């Protein structure tokens, strides 16, 4: 509609020169999540279900963890971050991975602002760090968009 184009033109004029801020990412190192989880499954449920039934899911979880611990920060990694978060959410509904659960995993992340290293045995901590990086990556992708055209502004807004 005419009014829609009018308001879009107004918003383009108002926001095109605006500075979009993005923050740095939390950093982590490679972590073997597959082996400790496989051992816990075998220990706790091995009598009921062969642990080999979980090998494919554990391999996918490991591959996703490896991808999110990498230095790539692009739209493809955004999908990997969401997939890893979904796998962690699904897993945490089946295996308690918290400070006192006895699962020998220590998640370590470097803070985005102060670069201090924090560790936890909690999957909730791991999920929070992944969510932070999802937000940071969305902000980076939004800030990287050329906002000199209608399409560029729409793309930037989609990320923000």
């Amino acid at each position: 509609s005419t009014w829609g184009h009018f308001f879009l033109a107004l918003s383009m004029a108002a926001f095109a020169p605006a500075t979009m801020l993005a923050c740095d990412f939390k950093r982590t190192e490679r972590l073997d999540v597959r082996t400790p989880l496989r051992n816990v499954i075998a220990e706790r449920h091995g009598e009921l279900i062969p642990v080999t039934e979980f090998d494919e899911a554990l391999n996918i979880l490991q591959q996703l963890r490896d991808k999110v611990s990498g230095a790539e920060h692009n739209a493809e990694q955004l999908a990997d971050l969401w997939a890893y978060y979904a796998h962690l959410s699904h897993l945490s509904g089946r295996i308690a991975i918290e400070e006192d659960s006895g699962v020998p995993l220590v998640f370590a992340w470097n803070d985005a602002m102060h670069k201090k290293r924090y560790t936890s045995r909690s999957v909730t901590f791991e999920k929070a760090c992944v969510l932070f990086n999802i937000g940071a990556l969305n902000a980076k992708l939004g800030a990287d968009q050329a906002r000199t055209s209608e399409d560029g502004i729409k793309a930037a807004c989609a990320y923000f």
Side-chain angles (χ1 to χ4, degrees), residues 53-138:
E53 295 281 325
F54 300 96
D55 283 344
E56 184 179 348
L58 291 171
N59 288 338
I60 291 169
L61 184 70
Q62 184 65 58
Q63 290 168 0
L64 289 169
R65 180 61 165 79
D66 291 346
K67 286 181 180 181
V68 304
S69 63
E72 293 294 319
H73 300 298
N74 53 40
E76 184 178 305
Q77 192 192 36
L78 190 58
D80 292 335
L81 284 162
W82 276 116
Y84 181 56
Y85 180 82
H87 277 74
L88 287 174
S89 296
H90 183 75
L91 177 69
S92 64
R94 283 149 180 71
I95 299 174
I97 306 173
E98 297 303 327
E99 293 293 338
D100 58 353
S101 66
V103 177
L105 280 174
V106 178
F107 302 106
W109 288 82
N110 294 329
D111 182 69
M113 309 303 172
H114 304 87
K115 309 303 181 212
K116 184 176 176 186
R117 186 172 190 253
Y118 293 94
T119 62
S120 176
R121 292 184 177 276
S122 171
V123 75
T124 304
F125 172 74
E126 178 83 342
K127 288 167 51 178
C129 292
V130 171
L131 281 176
F132 181 93
N133 278 358
I134 288 170
L137 184 52
N138 271 304

Side-chain angles (χ1 to χ4, degrees), residues 33-47 51 54 58 91 94-97 101-105:
V33 294
R34 184 190 181 282
T35 303
L37 289 174
R38 190 176 197 283
N39 292 342
V40 167
I41 292 168
E43 188 178 292
R44 296 182 185 172
H45 308 287
E47 295 174 3
V51 74
F54 300 96
L58 291 171
L91 177 69
R94 283 149 180 71
I95 299 174
I97 306 173
S101 66
V103 177
L105 280 174

